[in-house]
Amino acid sequence: MINQAIHAITEPRRRDILYLVRDGELTSSAIASHFDISAPAISQHLKVLEEAGLVVVRRAGTKRFYGLRREGFAELKQYIESFWDDSLIRLKEAAEEEERRNHESKPQQ
Amino acid sequence: MINQAIHAITEPRRRDILYLVRDGELTSSAIASHFDISAPAISQHLKVLEEAGLVVVRRAGTKRFYGLRREGFAELKQYIESFWDDSLIRLKEAAEEEERRNHESKPQQ
DNA sequence: GCTTTATTTAAGTTGACACTTAATTAAGTG
DNA sequence: CACTTAATTAAGTGTCAACTTAAATAAAGC
């Protein structure tokens, strides 16, 4: 799922779509009106975003309202942050290990 | 730069490379030994990561040590977070606007 | 200065994927 | 039930980028 989410935000146009829907729900055609690509193209992007868990659809008659799915976004945020945090922890550990080694021998080039 | 960073972490193998170098510097060939793709392929990935500001190189003789560039990562984290935070603010505003409208008329389907 | 080691650049191939138009589904509406 | 509206699925096309092998660079070692 997280891999799908990252893949989804790969495409700049999909990020633009996320920017549009984060303020509130929009129909597929309302979203399409902001771009100069065809409606099917938008529909395909929306499908990718939906499958990645980043947007949700609400059907109302012939219309389909797309909105941001906050949980999906939270996961994405989590992923980036955990990468970052783990990195800091590991950096600290590495520095300590380095410190220990320096008391025994010279560091190699 | 932020677009380059997002593009850079798009590719799963590049994320794997970031995982490898976040513990400490590694040479191009040391990184390559973890994958079953050619050295030039790794070199090309490293170039993308470097241009995105996510890794830095330190040259030592014929070797090149690649390491994580923390500032680059901070920017990426910032981007995701700002998207998220702005979203919450805008959601709150939208909810208030909705509230106001509900005192006048029924919401349309 | 030739050879080795580490890595990159060059050039070409292949597969994925972001589009297109045309056809299809699905829900109202006269 | 034909017609309109909203959107999707289908099918095909072109571009890009992730790989490949081969050639080039660049520093060190003999």
Side-chain angles (χ1 to χ4, degrees):
Chain A
M1 198 72 156
I2 185 65
N3 278 321
Q4 269 181 293
I6 289 173
H7 171 250
I9 61 162
T10 281
E11 166 62 41
R13 214 151 267 143
R14 281 198 287 266
R15 292 203 298 277
D16 290 341
I17 291 175
L18 288 174
Y19 269 108
L20 281 174
V21 300
R22 78 179 178 177
D23 297 346
E25 292 179 324
L26 283 176
T27 62
S28 188
S29 52
I31 293 165
S33 70
H34 284 85
F35 302 92
D36 55 357
I37 59 174
S38 68
I42 296 297
S43 183
Q44 286 156 20
H45 281 314
L46 288 170
K47 191 180 181 183
V48 172
L49 288 170
E50 195 192 350
E51 283 172 354
L54 294 174
V55 301
V56 277
V57 202
R58 179 174 61 85
R59 299 176 75 140
T62 63
K63 294 180 180 177
R64 299 192 191 182
F65 289 90
Y66 284 88
L68 203 67
R69 183 170 167 272
R70 266 140 223 297
E71 304 81 44
F73 231 87
E75 280 176 54
L76 192 58
K77 193 192 166 199
Q78 190 76 47
Y79 173 82
I80 301 284
E81 279 180 358
S82 73
F83 190 102
W84 173 259
D85 295 340
D86 288 359
S87 174
L88 287 180
I89 291 164
R90 283 160 179 265
L91 181 75
K92 187 168 164 286
E93 286 169 355
E96 287 165 357
E97 175 61 22
E98 171 91 11
E99 184 65 22
R100 246 170 279 131
R101 270 201 307 276
N102 286 354
H103 284 281
E104 300 162 19
S105 62
K106 284 282 161 202
Q108 75 282 27
Q109 179 58 284
Chain B
M1 196 74 154
I2 185 65
N3 278 321
Q4 269 180 293
I6 289 173
H7 171 250
I9 61 160
T10 281
E11 166 61 42
R13 215 150 267 143
R14 281 199 286 265
R15 291 202 299 278
D16 291 340
I17 291 175
L18 289 174
Y19 269 109
L20 282 175
V21 300
R22 77 177 180 179
D23 296 345
E25 292 179 325
L26 284 177
T27 62
S28 187
S29 51
I31 293 165
S33 71
H34 285 85
F35 302 93
D36 55 357
I37 59 174
S38 67
I42 296 296
S43 182
Q44 285 157 20
H45 281 313
L46 288 170
K47 191 179 181 184
V48 172
L49 288 170
E50 195 192 351
E51 283 173 355
L54 294 173
V55 300
V56 278
V57 203
R58 180 174 62 86
R59 299 176 76 140
T62 63
K63 294 180 179 176
R64 300 193 190 183
F65 289 89
Y66 285 88
L68 204 67
R69 184 171 168 272
R70 266 140 225 297
E71 304 80 45
F73 244 87
E75 281 176 52
L76 192 57
K77 193 189 168 197
Q78 190 75 47
Y79 173 82
I80 301 286
E81 280 180 359
S82 72
F83 188 102
W84 175 259
D85 295 340
D86 288 0
S87 175
L88 286 179
I89 291 163
R90 283 159 179 265
L91 182 75
K92 186 168 166 284
E93 286 169 356
E96 287 165 358
E97 175 62 24
E98 171 92 11
E99 184 64 21
R100 245 170 280 132
R101 269 202 308 277
N102 285 354
H103 285 280
E104 301 162 17
S105 62
K106 284 283 162 200
Q108 76 282 26
Q109 180 57 284

